[in-house]
Amino acid sequence: MNVSQENLWPAPFASKSLDATVVVPGSKSLSNRYLILAALGHRPVRLVGLLRSRDTELMMDALRSLGVRCEIDEQVDTTVTVVPSDGRFHGGTKVFCGLAGTVMRFVPGLAMFADGPVDFDGDEQAYARPMKPVLDGLEQLGACIEYHGEEGRLPFTITPPQTVSQCAEPSVVSIDSSGSSQFISGLLLIGSRVPGGLELHHTGEKTPSLPHIRMTVADLHGSGVRANADEHARVWTVQPGAVQLPETVTVEPDLSNAAPFLGAALIAGGTVRVPHWPESTTQPGGLLPGYLERMGAEINFPVIDGVRYCEVTGDGRVSGLGDFDLTAAGEIAPSLAAILVFADAPTRMLGIGHLRGHETNRLEALVNEITRVGGDARELPDGLEIAPVPTMDLKPAEMETYADHRMATFAAMLGLKINGIQIKNIATTAKTLPDFANMWTNMLA
């Protein structure tokens, strides 16, 4: 479905309870980590179920500019074979990051091993996203960073170290990654290629989204890399050595992208199920069923024809959560916020102050849009408070999306119970869900 950025998209209203099965594409977080690790290897890797979205296209284009081949299967476009470059990434090139955090925070590390300078740029909105901690880390490893705008932000040029250290001891890097776990992940992904390995210290008081860092460590282990985490001391170590994913890797569905669909069952009532739900996962979205259960949903995991489903059933009532620590899964905060607009008691979502540095300031955006429909929300120093308002007092509006895919899906969720909502730039969902508009409409069919 082609939806232009200028058009208003009428969010479907749920006139009856739901009964739908929604197939969710592959995880963006895993897809882009696998692409980086495959590029760091020495043999081709076949990625099955790779997410095809703006963020993963940007990642593949970035790798291609560095000399890596990403070959898309002619029969199944979610199967991609990554063929590493000739042992060294190509310099004298430009990487365009768009608005993709994983591209702008993970790919700069690869420039450490290029044969010349690499320029990085992105969407104008990306210039507001913080980059300095990961770039400070690369400078500590010997890279030279030249900023072409504000220090610590895009655009910039990375010149790799001119000489390769022969040190047998790990390189010690200290950064404050309070603003994003991606700063830590971006350095850990290249740690085994650093002479002597890497010892990474996080100097901030809190570590945002530890599950995403654990995902990175687990993916390193799956690539034959020895990595250890002392989360209490906030220190990670990566031993030097080769990186090599297995010949074929299957990408799990994006469990955070399942949140709008499964959450719809609570707002509209009825049942929504998502197939291929893993029994165990490193994805923060794996915590979603437990959160929905606390809000009043009935959760089941039936196995049908060998496929495990997550099945969520709601009766249209939503329980408020009081003080709710969402540190472990902040990326699903917009979806949970949409559900909690219809809750019977207040909720204070805490531990998500870092959402101010995502595609947009998500906390400010959520307050703006909840208020726009007549809801009651306010920012907290480290989170968001939502208080109940009778549904009859909520009103339709034209919803802003801020070029943020999760704000677009948030608005669609509100439209299930607030008839007449229209959404600006629903096409921004292409960042992680290219067919969202059709998927959402079909869920209600």
Side-chain angles (χ1 to χ4, degrees):
M1 178 178 182
N2 293 321
V3 184
S4 75
Q5 294 189 8
E6 294 78 14
N7 290 344
L8 289 172
W9 185 68
F13 178 73
S15 58
K16 59 182 180 181
S17 61
L18 305 177
D19 182 9
T21 298
V22 179
V23 178
V24 176
S27 161
K28 180 195 74 173
S29 296
L30 288 171
S31 291
N32 276 350
R33 281 166 173 78
Y34 290 150
L35 285 167
I36 290 282
L37 290 167
L40 283 164
H42 54 275
R43 294 193 306 270
V45 175
R46 183 170 173 263
L47 301 175
V48 178
L50 190 83
L51 175 66
R52 298 297 307 280
S53 70
R54 186 178 189 229
D55 275 23
T56 53
E57 297 301 318
L58 286 165
M59 180 64 83
M60 287 191 284
D61 285 343
L63 296 179
R64 290 180 182 117
S65 71
L66 295 172
V68 178
R69 283 160 45 204
C70 297
E71 301 173 347
I72 298 166
D73 189 285
E74 292 182 0
Q75 304 299 321
V76 182
D77 69 357
T78 56
T79 296
V80 176
T81 299
V82 180
V83 182
S85 59
D86 49 11
R88 195 165 180 82
F89 297 108
H90 298 175
T93 188
K94 186 170 185 175
V95 169
F96 183 74
C97 304
L99 193 55
T102 48
V103 179
M104 65 181 71
R105 277 90 178 251
F106 292 178
V107 179
L110 302 185
M112 287 285 295
F113 314 110
D115 56 16
V118 179
D119 296 330
F120 288 81
D121 205 343
D123 293 350
E124 184 177 352
Q125 192 164 349
Y127 293 1
R129 299 195 71 177
M131 286 285 304
K132 198 169 191 303
V134 72
L135 298 175
D136 284 350
L138 296 180
E139 283 189 312
Q140 292 173 49
L141 292 172
C144 177
I145 314 294
E146 179 187 359
Y147 294 107
H148 305 301
E150 183 180 346
E151 183 178 348
R153 303 184 190 276
L154 288 164
F156 52 81
T157 298
I158 297 180
T159 301
Q162 299 302 302
T163 58
V164 178
S165 168
Q166 302 301 320
C167 180
E169 297 298 317
S171 296
V172 179
V173 171
S174 298
I175 61 169
D176 182 352
S177 64
S178 302
S180 174
S181 65
Q182 291 174 349
F183 302 139
I184 291 175
S185 289
L187 293 170
L188 293 180
L189 287 167
I190 63 163
S192 68
R193 288 281 296 266
V194 175
L198 177 67
E199 182 180 308
L200 179 60
H201 295 249
H202 166 46
T203 60
E205 291 186 8
K206 289 187 176 182
T207 310
S209 195
L210 267 172
H212 276 113
I213 301 172
R214 292 169 184 153
M215 174 190 290
T216 301
V217 171
D219 292 341
L220 286 168
H221 290 163
S223 304
V225 175
R226 290 176 294 166
N228 295 292
D230 184 339
E231 293 179 356
H232 178 72
R234 298 189 286 276
V235 177
W236 291 262
T237 56
V238 182
Q239 302 298 315
V243 180
Q244 186 58 57
L245 283 169
E247 183 179 346
T248 300
V249 177
T250 300
V251 182
E252 294 176 0
D254 194 313
L255 307 187
S256 293
N257 273 343
F261 301 97
L262 295 177
L266 273 87
I267 296 174
T271 298
V272 178
R273 56 196 74 80
V274 170
H276 307 291
W277 197 273
E279 290 192 43
S280 62
T281 182
T282 57
Q283 293 188 63
L287 299 168
L288 176 65
Y291 295 160
L292 298 181
E293 189 170 40
R294 288 182 58 180
M295 294 181 183
E298 177 186 338
I299 309 293
N300 291 292
F301 297 95
V303 177
I304 305 170
D305 295 331
V307 175
R308 187 172 189 262
Y309 290 73
C310 178
E311 183 178 85
V312 175
T313 301
D315 60 7
R317 293 178 293 181
V318 178
S319 300
L321 299 175
D323 284 354
F324 180 49
D325 186 352
L326 196 54
T327 303
E331 65 184 33
I332 61 175
S335 293
L336 299 184
I339 302 168
L340 291 166
V341 166
F342 306 104
D344 58 9
T347 298
R348 290 160 51 93
M349 292 193 288
L350 306 173
I352 54 173
H354 62 281
L355 296 188
R356 294 185 172 95
H358 279 236
E359 283 83 344
T360 187
N361 179 340
R362 283 184 179 160
L363 298 185
E364 180 183 18
L366 286 168
V367 170
N368 288 345
E369 299 313 300
I370 291 171
T371 304
R372 194 186 303 278
V373 298
D376 185 351
R378 66 184 183 92
E379 282 189 65
L380 304 173
D382 195 31
L384 182 72
E385 181 174 25
I386 301 174
V389 168
T391 302
M392 66 181 66
D393 293 339
L394 299 174
K395 60 183 186 296
E398 292 183 3
M399 307 294 284
E400 299 286 348
T401 55
Y402 309 88
D404 187 332
H405 59 130
R406 299 207 191 276
M407 290 303 302
T409 56
F410 156 85
M413 294 175 75
L414 293 185
L416 292 171
K417 208 162 185 175
I418 305 173
N419 199 358
I421 277 187
Q422 298 187 83
I423 303 174
K424 298 178 181 178
N425 190 14
I426 193 67
T428 195
T429 53
K431 180 179 175 69
T432 55
L433 282 170
D435 196 35
F436 172 77
N438 279 331
M439 293 171 68
W440 196 254
T441 302
N442 291 339
M443 178 183 69
L444 277 78

